[in-house]
Amino acid sequence: MEMVINFPGGARVDASFGPFNVATDQPPAGGGQGSAPTPFALFLSSIGTCAGIYVLGFCNQRGLPTEGIRIIQRVNSNPANGMVDSIDLDIQVPESFPEKYHDSLIRSANLCAVKKHLEHPPVFNVYTSVN
């Protein structure tokens, strides 16, 4: 997959791939306009939404209703260095959701490709070239 990263102005940095354009910005305190999520917030949201895709797929495959299901993601940072120490994904289900599927929802969320890549990170090759 190839993505093109562009600088459309101000503190905006956007990624284009296929038919999609993903906008990012910095908050006003960081020199931006706050017109889009920061790259790091977008990265963090990919964890919860990826887990959500797997939870949704699990429910759809079994004909289970998804109404009332949500995932609350909490990011726990180390106050000394600001780095993320842990991420909690709380899969909240309505009282009517069958309890026998609770553990299966957790297993489904743990299949998330974003999470798996964080557990086994890729090598980053950063370089310059002339276009």
Side-chain angles (χ1 to χ4, degrees):
M1 169 189 264
E2 182 172 282
M3 293 185 182
V4 177
I5 311 304
N6 293 303
F7 307 93
R12 293 253 326 263
V13 179
D14 296 353
S16 297
F17 50 99
F20 304 109
N21 186 54
V22 178
T24 70
D25 198 358
Q26 295 295 311
Q33 298 296 313
S35 65
T38 65
F40 193 65
L42 192 62
F43 162 72
L44 291 173
S45 72
S46 73
I47 297 165
T49 56
C50 182
I53 290 291
Y54 283 86
V55 167
L56 178 65
F58 175 85
C59 291
N60 286 344
Q61 286 175 348
R62 286 154 187 81
L64 297 168
T66 56
E67 187 175 328
I69 298 177
R70 65 184 189 168
I71 298 173
I72 303 299
Q73 178 174 302
R74 294 179 188 88
V75 177
N76 306 297
S77 299
N78 181 327
N81 62 18
M83 299 292 289
V84 174
D85 275 341
S86 66
I87 297 173
D88 300 329
L89 296 174
D90 177 8
I91 305 168
Q92 297 182 346
V93 297
E95 199 172 308
S96 61
F97 193 84
E99 189 172 337
K100 70 179 184 177
Y101 292 121
H102 287 200
D103 288 342
S104 297
L105 286 181
I106 294 168
R107 283 192 297 276
S108 293
N110 277 323
L111 295 173
C112 164
V114 175
K115 179 182 171 296
K116 287 185 175 212
H117 276 81
L118 288 173
E119 292 170 340
H120 304 283
V123 173
F124 289 82
N125 303 304
V126 181
Y127 53 91
T128 62
S129 63
V130 177
N131 58 8

